[in-house]
Amino acid sequence: MRTVQYTGEGITAEIVIGKATVAAGLLRSRLVDEGLRAKDDDALVHALRWTQYPALVAATQSGHIDLTDGGYIQAKEVTFMQFLELPEDLGMLWLDAVFAENPHWIFSAPPKDEEGNE
């Protein structure tokens, strides 16, 4: 279990990340499927929607994100659009913790043989 703490850009956050359970893996798979089916005009946004966001939500066990304007987000319930609005350094800390706890969730290309075939 890891705790991400962040203060900056008018945000204070404390987010608890855990190791994957079967239920978390199913949630991640469901969110990946939803992300792949979403219609996004921007290919990079679309990739983030089905690769990183599902892992982030599925591995988050608890925590909060307090906004300067008085807003409050339960970390486990962060929407994709809210995630896009967070400071990048918070997003990277959060994702790093998710993948450190669950390295098997990192998408990677299949290995290639000596002739360059997958």
Short mmCIF file of all heavy atoms in Angstrom, two decimals, residues 39-79:
data_model
loop_
_atom_site.label_atom_id
_atom_site.label_comp_id
_atom_site.label_asym_id
_atom_site.label_seq_id
_atom_site.Cartn_x
_atom_site.Cartn_y
_atom_site.Cartn_z
N LYS A 39 -15.88 7.98 -27.62
CA LYS A 39 -15.53 8.77 -28.80
C LYS A 39 -14.80 10.03 -28.35
O LYS A 39 -15.37 10.90 -27.72
CB LYS A 39 -16.79 9.17 -29.57
CG LYS A 39 -17.65 8.00 -29.99
CD LYS A 39 -16.98 7.17 -31.04
CE LYS A 39 -17.91 6.07 -31.50
NZ LYS A 39 -17.22 4.88 -31.89
N ASP A 40 -13.52 10.08 -28.63
CA ASP A 40 -12.70 11.24 -28.30
C ASP A 40 -12.12 11.81 -29.57
O ASP A 40 -11.67 11.07 -30.44
CB ASP A 40 -11.55 10.84 -27.36
CG ASP A 40 -12.04 10.41 -25.99
OD1 ASP A 40 -12.67 11.23 -25.31
OD2 ASP A 40 -11.78 9.25 -25.60
N ASP A 41 -12.12 13.12 -29.68
CA ASP A 41 -11.57 13.78 -30.86
C ASP A 41 -10.04 13.76 -30.85
O ASP A 41 -9.42 13.85 -31.90
CB ASP A 41 -12.05 15.24 -30.93
CG ASP A 41 -13.55 15.33 -31.18
OD1 ASP A 41 -14.12 14.39 -31.79
OD2 ASP A 41 -14.15 16.34 -30.77
N ASP A 42 -9.47 13.65 -29.69
CA ASP A 42 -8.02 13.69 -29.53
C ASP A 42 -7.51 12.28 -29.23
O ASP A 42 -7.91 11.67 -28.23
CB ASP A 42 -7.67 14.66 -28.40
CG ASP A 42 -6.19 14.86 -28.22
OD1 ASP A 42 -5.42 13.88 -28.30
OD2 ASP A 42 -5.80 16.01 -27.95
N ALA A 43 -6.63 11.78 -30.06
CA ALA A 43 -6.12 10.41 -29.89
C ALA A 43 -5.36 10.24 -28.58
O ALA A 43 -5.41 9.17 -27.96
CB ALA A 43 -5.22 10.04 -31.07
N LEU A 44 -4.65 11.27 -28.13
CA LEU A 44 -3.91 11.17 -26.88
C LEU A 44 -4.85 11.12 -25.68
O LEU A 44 -4.61 10.37 -24.72
CB LEU A 44 -2.92 12.32 -26.74
CG LEU A 44 -1.79 12.31 -27.77
CD1 LEU A 44 -0.93 13.56 -27.63
CD2 LEU A 44 -0.94 11.06 -27.64
N VAL A 45 -5.91 11.91 -25.72
CA VAL A 45 -6.92 11.85 -24.66
C VAL A 45 -7.55 10.47 -24.65
O VAL A 45 -7.76 9.86 -23.59
CB VAL A 45 -7.98 12.96 -24.84
CG1 VAL A 45 -9.18 12.75 -23.92
CG2 VAL A 45 -7.36 14.33 -24.60
N HIS A 46 -7.85 9.95 -25.82
CA HIS A 46 -8.46 8.62 -25.93
C HIS A 46 -7.54 7.56 -25.33
O HIS A 46 -7.98 6.68 -24.57
CB HIS A 46 -8.78 8.29 -27.39
CG HIS A 46 -9.53 7.02 -27.56
ND1 HIS A 46 -10.83 6.86 -27.15
CD2 HIS A 46 -9.15 5.83 -28.09
CE1 HIS A 46 -11.23 5.64 -27.41
NE2 HIS A 46 -10.23 4.98 -27.98
N ALA A 47 -6.26 7.64 -25.62
CA ALA A 47 -5.30 6.67 -25.07
C ALA A 47 -5.24 6.76 -23.55
O ALA A 47 -5.23 5.73 -22.86
CB ALA A 47 -3.92 6.90 -25.68
N LEU A 48 -5.21 7.95 -23.02
CA LEU A 48 -5.20 8.14 -21.57
C LEU A 48 -6.47 7.57 -20.95
O LEU A 48 -6.42 6.96 -19.89
CB LEU A 48 -5.09 9.63 -21.24
CG LEU A 48 -4.97 10.00 -19.78
CD1 LEU A 48 -3.63 9.55 -19.23
CD2 LEU A 48 -5.12 11.51 -19.61
N ARG A 49 -7.61 7.72 -21.63
CA ARG A 49 -8.90 7.26 -21.12
C ARG A 49 -8.91 5.74 -20.93
O ARG A 49 -9.50 5.24 -20.00
CB ARG A 49 -10.04 7.68 -22.04
CG ARG A 49 -11.41 7.32 -21.50
CD ARG A 49 -12.53 7.61 -22.47
NE ARG A 49 -12.64 8.98 -22.89
CZ ARG A 49 -13.39 9.91 -22.28
NH1 ARG A 49 -14.09 9.60 -21.21
NH2 ARG A 49 -13.45 11.13 -22.75
N TRP A 50 -8.28 4.99 -21.84
CA TRP A 50 -8.36 3.53 -21.72
C TRP A 50 -7.10 2.87 -21.17
O TRP A 50 -7.11 1.68 -20.87
CB TRP A 50 -8.81 2.88 -23.02
CG TRP A 50 -7.83 2.88 -24.15
CD1 TRP A 50 -7.71 3.80 -25.14
CD2 TRP A 50 -6.83 1.89 -24.42
NE1 TRP A 50 -6.70 3.46 -26.00
CE2 TRP A 50 -6.15 2.28 -25.58
CE3 TRP A 50 -6.46 0.70 -23.79
CZ2 TRP A 50 -5.11 1.54 -26.12
CZ3 TRP A 50 -5.41 -0.04 -24.33
CH2 TRP A 50 -4.75 0.39 -25.49
N THR A 51 -6.01 3.62 -21.02
CA THR A 51 -4.79 3.01 -20.50
C THR A 51 -4.51 3.38 -19.04
O THR A 51 -4.38 2.50 -18.20
CB THR A 51 -3.56 3.38 -21.34
OG1 THR A 51 -3.41 4.80 -21.36
CG2 THR A 51 -3.66 2.83 -22.75
N GLN A 52 -4.44 4.65 -18.75
CA GLN A 52 -4.00 5.07 -17.42
C GLN A 52 -5.16 5.31 -16.45
O GLN A 52 -5.09 4.89 -15.29
CB GLN A 52 -3.13 6.32 -17.53
CG GLN A 52 -1.87 6.03 -18.30
CD GLN A 52 -1.02 7.24 -18.53
OE1 GLN A 52 -1.42 8.37 -18.29
NE2 GLN A 52 0.19 7.02 -19.00
N TYR A 53 -6.20 5.97 -16.90
CA TYR A 53 -7.32 6.27 -16.01
C TYR A 53 -7.94 5.03 -15.38
O TYR A 53 -8.17 5.01 -14.16
CB TYR A 53 -8.37 7.12 -16.75
CG TYR A 53 -9.61 7.39 -15.95
CD1 TYR A 53 -9.59 8.30 -14.89
CD2 TYR A 53 -10.80 6.72 -16.22
CE1 TYR A 53 -10.73 8.54 -14.13
CE2 TYR A 53 -11.94 6.95 -15.47
CZ TYR A 53 -11.89 7.86 -14.43
OH TYR A 53 -13.02 8.09 -13.68
N PRO A 54 -8.20 3.95 -16.12
CA PRO A 54 -8.78 2.76 -15.49
C PRO A 54 -7.91 2.19 -14.37
O PRO A 54 -8.42 1.78 -13.32
CB PRO A 54 -8.91 1.77 -16.64
CG PRO A 54 -9.06 2.62 -17.84
CD PRO A 54 -8.13 3.79 -17.59
N ALA A 55 -6.60 2.16 -14.56
CA ALA A 55 -5.71 1.64 -13.53
C ALA A 55 -5.73 2.55 -12.31
O ALA A 55 -5.76 2.09 -11.16
CB ALA A 55 -4.29 1.52 -14.08
N LEU A 56 -5.74 3.85 -12.54
CA LEU A 56 -5.75 4.82 -11.46
C LEU A 56 -6.98 4.63 -10.57
O LEU A 56 -6.88 4.54 -9.35
CB LEU A 56 -5.72 6.22 -12.08
CG LEU A 56 -5.74 7.39 -11.15
CD1 LEU A 56 -4.73 8.41 -11.63
CD2 LEU A 56 -7.11 8.00 -11.12
N VAL A 57 -8.16 4.54 -11.17
CA VAL A 57 -9.39 4.39 -10.40
C VAL A 57 -9.44 3.03 -9.70
O VAL A 57 -9.79 2.93 -8.53
CB VAL A 57 -10.63 4.59 -11.30
CG1 VAL A 57 -11.91 4.21 -10.57
CG2 VAL A 57 -10.70 6.03 -11.79
N ALA A 58 -9.06 1.98 -10.41
CA ALA A 58 -9.17 0.63 -9.87
C ALA A 58 -8.21 0.40 -8.70
O ALA A 58 -8.55 -0.35 -7.77
CB ALA A 58 -8.93 -0.40 -10.96
N ALA A 59 -7.05 1.01 -8.70
CA ALA A 59 -6.07 0.80 -7.64
C ALA A 59 -6.26 1.73 -6.45
O ALA A 59 -5.72 1.49 -5.38
CB ALA A 59 -4.65 0.96 -8.18
N THR A 60 -7.03 2.80 -6.63
CA THR A 60 -7.23 3.77 -5.56
C THR A 60 -8.20 3.19 -4.53
O THR A 60 -9.32 2.82 -4.87
CB THR A 60 -7.75 5.10 -6.12
OG1 THR A 60 -6.77 5.63 -7.03
CG2 THR A 60 -8.00 6.11 -5.02
N GLN A 61 -7.75 3.15 -3.29
CA GLN A 61 -8.59 2.60 -2.22
C GLN A 61 -9.35 3.67 -1.47
O GLN A 61 -10.48 3.46 -1.05
CB GLN A 61 -7.73 1.79 -1.26
CG GLN A 61 -7.17 0.55 -1.93
CD GLN A 61 -6.46 -0.34 -0.96
OE1 GLN A 61 -6.07 0.06 0.13
NE2 GLN A 61 -6.26 -1.58 -1.35
N SER A 62 -8.73 4.81 -1.27
CA SER A 62 -9.39 5.89 -0.55
C SER A 62 -8.58 7.16 -0.75
O SER A 62 -7.55 7.17 -1.41
CB SER A 62 -9.50 5.57 0.95
OG SER A 62 -8.21 5.44 1.52
N GLY A 63 -9.06 8.22 -0.15
CA GLY A 63 -8.34 9.48 -0.21
C GLY A 63 -9.21 10.61 -0.69
O GLY A 63 -10.40 10.43 -0.98
N HIS A 64 -8.59 11.77 -0.77
CA HIS A 64 -9.35 12.97 -1.13
C HIS A 64 -8.46 13.95 -1.87
O HIS A 64 -7.23 13.92 -1.75
CB HIS A 64 -9.90 13.65 0.12
CG HIS A 64 -8.82 13.99 1.11
ND1 HIS A 64 -8.13 15.16 1.08
CD2 HIS A 64 -8.29 13.27 2.13
CE1 HIS A 64 -7.23 15.18 2.05
NE2 HIS A 64 -7.31 14.03 2.71
N ILE A 65 -9.10 14.81 -2.64
CA ILE A 65 -8.44 15.90 -3.33
C ILE A 65 -9.21 17.15 -2.95
O ILE A 65 -10.39 17.29 -3.29
CB ILE A 65 -8.44 15.69 -4.86
CG1 ILE A 65 -7.77 14.36 -5.21
CG2 ILE A 65 -7.76 16.87 -5.56
CD1 ILE A 65 -8.03 13.90 -6.63
N ASP A 66 -8.58 18.05 -2.20
CA ASP A 66 -9.21 19.29 -1.76
C ASP A 66 -8.79 20.40 -2.69
O ASP A 66 -7.59 20.62 -2.93
CB ASP A 66 -8.80 19.63 -0.33
CG ASP A 66 -9.20 18.55 0.66
OD1 ASP A 66 -10.35 18.09 0.59
OD2 ASP A 66 -8.35 18.17 1.50
N LEU A 67 -9.77 21.12 -3.22
CA LEU A 67 -9.52 22.21 -4.16
C LEU A 67 -9.60 23.55 -3.45
O LEU A 67 -10.38 23.72 -2.51
CB LEU A 67 -10.52 22.14 -5.31
CG LEU A 67 -10.65 20.77 -5.99
CD1 LEU A 67 -11.79 20.77 -6.98
CD2 LEU A 67 -9.35 20.38 -6.65
N THR A 68 -8.83 24.52 -3.91
CA THR A 68 -8.80 25.84 -3.30
C THR A 68 -10.18 26.48 -3.25
O THR A 68 -10.51 27.16 -2.29
CB THR A 68 -7.87 26.79 -4.10
OG1 THR A 68 -6.64 26.13 -4.32
CG2 THR A 68 -7.62 28.06 -3.35
N ASP A 69 -10.98 26.26 -4.27
CA ASP A 69 -12.30 26.89 -4.33
C ASP A 69 -13.32 26.23 -3.39
O ASP A 69 -14.50 26.54 -3.44
CB ASP A 69 -12.83 26.88 -5.76
CG ASP A 69 -13.11 25.49 -6.30
OD1 ASP A 69 -12.97 24.50 -5.54
OD2 ASP A 69 -13.45 25.37 -7.48
N GLY A 70 -12.84 25.34 -2.53
CA GLY A 70 -13.73 24.67 -1.60
C GLY A 70 -14.25 23.35 -2.13
O GLY A 70 -14.94 22.62 -1.42
N GLY A 71 -13.93 23.03 -3.37
CA GLY A 71 -14.36 21.77 -3.94
C GLY A 71 -13.63 20.59 -3.30
O GLY A 71 -12.55 20.75 -2.72
N TYR A 72 -14.24 19.43 -3.42
CA TYR A 72 -13.70 18.23 -2.79
C TYR A 72 -14.01 17.05 -3.71
O TYR A 72 -15.13 16.91 -4.19
CB TYR A 72 -14.38 18.03 -1.44
CG TYR A 72 -13.95 16.81 -0.68
CD1 TYR A 72 -12.84 16.84 0.15
CD2 TYR A 72 -14.67 15.63 -0.77
CE1 TYR A 72 -12.44 15.72 0.87
CE2 TYR A 72 -14.28 14.50 -0.05
CZ TYR A 72 -13.18 14.55 0.76
OH TYR A 72 -12.78 13.45 1.47
N ILE A 73 -13.00 16.23 -3.96
CA ILE A 73 -13.19 15.05 -4.79
C ILE A 73 -12.75 13.84 -3.98
O ILE A 73 -11.63 13.81 -3.46
CB ILE A 73 -12.34 15.13 -6.08
CG1 ILE A 73 -12.70 16.36 -6.91
CG2 ILE A 73 -12.50 13.85 -6.90
CD1 ILE A 73 -11.72 16.64 -8.04
N GLN A 74 -13.63 12.85 -3.88
CA GLN A 74 -13.22 11.56 -3.33
C GLN A 74 -12.30 10.94 -4.37
O GLN A 74 -12.69 10.80 -5.53
CB GLN A 74 -14.43 10.65 -3.11
CG GLN A 74 -15.32 11.06 -1.98
CD GLN A 74 -14.74 10.67 -0.63
OE1 GLN A 74 -13.76 9.94 -0.52
NE2 GLN A 74 -15.35 11.17 0.41
N ALA A 75 -11.09 10.59 -4.01
CA ALA A 75 -10.11 10.10 -4.98
C ALA A 75 -10.64 8.90 -5.75
O ALA A 75 -10.43 8.79 -6.96
CB ALA A 75 -8.80 9.76 -4.29
N LYS A 76 -11.33 8.00 -5.09
CA LYS A 76 -11.84 6.79 -5.74
C LYS A 76 -12.92 7.12 -6.77
O LYS A 76 -13.18 6.33 -7.67
CB LYS A 76 -12.41 5.86 -4.66
CG LYS A 76 -12.94 4.56 -5.16
CD LYS A 76 -11.88 3.51 -5.23
CE LYS A 76 -12.45 2.19 -5.68
NZ LYS A 76 -11.67 1.57 -6.71
N GLU A 77 -13.54 8.29 -6.65
CA GLU A 77 -14.65 8.66 -7.53
C GLU A 77 -14.28 9.75 -8.54
O GLU A 77 -15.15 10.34 -9.16
CB GLU A 77 -15.83 9.11 -6.68
CG GLU A 77 -16.35 7.99 -5.79
CD GLU A 77 -17.41 8.44 -4.81
OE1 GLU A 77 -17.85 9.61 -4.89
OE2 GLU A 77 -17.78 7.63 -3.96
N VAL A 78 -12.98 10.00 -8.72
CA VAL A 78 -12.56 11.04 -9.66
C VAL A 78 -13.04 10.65 -11.07
O VAL A 78 -12.87 9.51 -11.50
CB VAL A 78 -11.03 11.26 -9.62
CG1 VAL A 78 -10.26 10.06 -10.13
CG2 VAL A 78 -10.65 12.51 -10.38
N THR A 79 -13.68 11.59 -11.74
CA THR A 79 -14.11 11.32 -13.11
C THR A 79 -12.94 11.55 -14.06
O THR A 79 -11.94 12.18 -13.70
CB THR A 79 -15.27 12.24 -13.53
OG1 THR A 79 -14.79 13.60 -13.60
CG2 THR A 79 -16.46 12.14 -12.57
#
